[in-house]
Amino acid sequence: MLKKLIFAPFFLLTFILLIYQLNPLLSSYDFVFVLSADTLIELIKIAALFVLSSLLFSLFATFANGWKLILPVSLLAAAIPLLFINTALAIVLTVTIIISLLLTYLALENNLKSYLTFKASALIGPAVRHLSALLIASFCIVYFLSANQIIAQKGFEIPDSLIDTAISMSPAKSLTEQSQTEAQLPSINSEQLELLKQNPDMLKQYGLDPQMLDTLTNPQKTLQAPQNLLNDTIKQTVKDQFQTLIKPYQSFIPAILALILFLTLQSLTAVLSIFISPVLWLIFTIFEKTAFVKFEIEQRPVKKLVI
């Protein structure tokens, strides 16, 4: 019994961590548009938890090999979203998770009953990949429902981070920076500046305001104010154009966001899946060396037709 349940606690702990990491993603849709290293690292962590959870469940199902243990652990794992996620969304996720786990076990059970030579990568590897895809699809369904609810209540608005990225990559941004570089104010040293401050009448004779001396001490500040105003104007203009363009298609946005998230996580898990075969080989090698498991070699008669 200990051997059959050895992977169950590790699977449940990993699954709790996965659901905990997924919960913040349901409160907003902005992260899909954030193009940053921090967002990529966060998505890689989530994809790794999907793969690890699928691997641990597949190992648990392989060792348990019976509904009496598989069903209670699967129901317990499926109930975890009820602790972290909104009740309505958690119920949907619970149902999809239990379906994903049971379908994976059915496919794995069929392979375990029909194989001739035990090869962990060939028997368990596909189950890990399929379960990862099913769990990602389950979460994306819930993400679609969450995004649809948020957009229905608050409407859809292009995130500022996406607008900033688009402006920074546009030619207009380069021309603005170039014009700012060319528009340099004349430099003046501190002694000349102090002399002009002591003789304001000299400036008035030439029709100059003595207050302009303050701008000469910090010319960058003088250029920064209109530059910020120009950037804000461009940003708001681009944002208004985007909002006008996508307004007729607002009802399709939640589905598009869910599809983008699914393709992103599925691509990351596909990359991480190259480590499944080496990890499975290492696990069963250690188990065999420590006598945790053993393999039997059988010789079976073969019937051949001879004419």
Side-chain angles (χ1 to χ4, degrees), residues 166-211:
I167 293 176
S168 64
M169 298 174 62
S170 65
K173 179 70 174 179
S174 301
L175 293 175
T176 303
E177 293 178 350
Q178 182 179 359
S179 62
Q180 179 183 0
T181 304
E182 293 175 352
Q184 297 292 337
L185 292 176
S187 59
I188 183 171
N189 58 42
S190 57
E191 295 179 358
Q192 294 172 336
L193 185 62
E194 187 65 27
L195 180 62
L196 291 174
K197 285 183 177 181
Q198 294 176 1
N199 299 277
D201 296 335
M202 185 182 301
L203 294 174
K204 293 180 179 180
Q205 292 178 0
Y206 293 95
L208 300 175
D209 188 358
Q211 294 182 355

Side-chain angles (χ1 to χ4, degrees), residues 232-283:
D232 293 340
T233 303
I234 295 174
K235 180 178 178 180
Q236 188 62 40
T237 302
V238 173
K239 190 172 185 178
D240 292 340
Q241 291 177 350
F242 268 114
Q243 292 294 140
T244 304
L245 181 64
I246 66 176
K247 188 174 182 180
Y249 311 100
Q250 184 166 306
S251 59
F252 300 100
I253 291 177
I256 295 174
L257 294 177
L259 180 61
I260 293 174
L261 180 61
F262 175 80
L263 294 176
T264 302
L265 291 175
Q266 186 65 17
S267 300
L268 293 174
T269 54
V271 174
L272 295 174
S273 294
I274 62 177
F275 299 102
I276 293 177
S277 295
V279 170
L280 287 173
W281 174 84
L282 180 62
I283 290 175

Side-chain angles (χ1 to χ4, degrees), residues 90-103:
I91 292 174
V92 177
L93 188 57
T94 295
V95 173
T96 54
I97 287 174
I98 190 63
I99 293 174
S100 301
L101 295 178
L102 296 183
L103 286 177

Side-chain angles (χ1 to χ4, degrees), residues 65-81:
N65 196 20
W67 286 103
K68 291 182 179 180
L69 297 179
I70 297 295
L71 190 58
V73 173
S74 298
L75 291 174
L76 186 60
I80 291 174

Side-chain angles (χ1 to χ4, degrees), residues 22-33 85-86 88-89 138-157 249-261:
L22 292 175
N23 184 37
L25 303 186
L26 298 176
S27 60
S28 173
Y29 53 79
D30 292 353
F31 80 98
V32 176
F33 300 100
I85 301 176
N86 177 273
L89 298 176
S138 300
F139 173 70
C140 289
I141 292 173
V142 175
Y143 178 79
F144 162 75
L145 297 175
S146 176
N148 190 40
Q149 183 179 4
I150 294 174
I151 292 175
Q153 293 177 353
K154 303 179 180 179
F156 178 76
E157 185 175 351
Y249 311 100
Q250 184 166 306
S251 59
F252 300 100
I253 291 177
I256 295 174
L257 294 177
L259 180 61
I260 293 174
L261 180 61

